[in-house]
Amino acid sequence: MYTLYYAPGAASFVVHWLLIDLGLPHELIKLDTAAKEHKSPEYLALNPAGVIPTLLIDGKPMCEAAAMAVLLADAKPEAGLIPPLNSAKRGEFYQWMFHLANTLQPPFRLWWYPAEAAGEEHAEAGKATAETKIHAVFANLDAHLAQSGPYLLGGSVSAADFMLVMLMRWSRNMPKTALDYPHLAKLAGLMKARPSWKLLYDSEGLTEWA
């Protein structure tokens, strides 16, 4: 049994989406970030970093959204969201998941909270630097999809596409968004057409970027 600690639109988004798409039985525990419930002693006992999400698997906590996405895809391999073990595509899948988690996700935090790294006096410059990094990754991803798409692994969807679309959604309030890249926009359209997308939005009460 899976229990997901989540906040609407946070990094838990991809985990919740996959739980729905894969039809895996789960429970949800919503965290009020404004009330800093993710910093409470009870939550910190599960996730010492105090970040969202945490996934309980038979009561045992797991952190890191990208790792959860891989685990869930592996839990139901017949759904086809992860390539077979020991295949060349499996290595490519791992490459994209690590790339998204290590190269694209971190600058988003710097964009939201630039003073954390740059200090208040350099916050605007820090935000601009983060945005430049994000768009450099988006440009490379768009070029890859142009050549080898429509999905990251070519003709078949994988959990990596779910992860990418979540991160694309995070750009929605930037002057230039992920949807300004034609092949990323095509991917987003394909993923949003999945029935699980509407179910996810309805469950989390989301409306932006629908």
Side-chain angles (χ1 to χ4, degrees):
M1 181 65 183
Y2 301 99
T3 301
L4 178 65
Y5 287 80
Y6 82 105
S12 51
F13 183 101
V14 66
V15 185
H16 190 185
W17 190 7
L18 284 166
L19 286 166
I20 294 170
D21 198 272
L22 292 165
L24 296 171
H26 61 278
E27 295 177 348
L28 299 171
I29 298 177
K30 184 177 179 179
L31 295 169
D32 184 344
T33 54
K36 297 193 178 297
E37 289 183 347
H38 57 306
K39 302 299 183 183
S40 69
E42 294 80 10
Y43 187 72
L44 291 173
L46 301 173
N47 188 323
V51 296
I52 299 169
T54 296
L55 184 67
L56 299 187
I57 305 169
D58 295 328
K60 184 177 180 180
M62 179 182 187
C63 305
E64 299 297 338
M68 295 173 201
V70 174
L71 181 139
L72 294 177
D74 253 337
K76 197 171 182 179
E78 64 271 22
L81 296 184
I82 190 166
L85 279 170
N86 301 318
S87 67
K89 284 290 184 183
R90 182 74 165 221
E92 189 178 348
F93 170 80
Y94 286 145
Q95 173 183 291
W96 285 119
M97 289 300 293
F98 276 86
H99 179 67
L100 295 172
N102 293 338
T103 308
L104 183 54
Q105 187 170 350
F108 271 106
R109 181 168 185 87
L110 296 177
W111 189 77
W112 287 320
Y113 308 108
E116 283 187 355
E120 289 293 347
E121 66 275 22
H122 301 297
E124 286 305 313
K127 187 170 185 174
T129 298
E131 192 166 343
T132 297
K133 290 180 179 180
I134 289 165
H135 282 295
V137 179
F138 279 160
N140 287 337
L141 288 167
D142 196 68
H144 167 74
L145 292 172
Q147 183 174 4
S148 304
Y151 300 105
L152 286 171
L153 297 184
S156 59
V157 66
S158 75
D161 299 298
F162 286 72
M163 182 77 174
L164 173 54
V165 170
M166 176 187 75
L167 296 172
M168 289 171 60
R169 182 180 180 275
W170 289 359
S171 73
R172 65 191 182 278
N173 293 322
M174 289 181 172
K176 181 179 181 180
T177 79
L179 296 182
D180 289 311
Y181 297 86
H183 302 285
L184 287 175
K186 180 180 178 180
L187 172 64
L190 291 170
M191 297 301 292
K192 289 180 181 183
R194 299 178 76 87
S196 56
W197 177 265
K198 185 178 187 307
L199 292 172
L200 173 66
Y201 258 60
D202 290 346
S203 177
E204 296 201 359
L206 300 170
T207 56
E208 291 183 310
W209 215 72

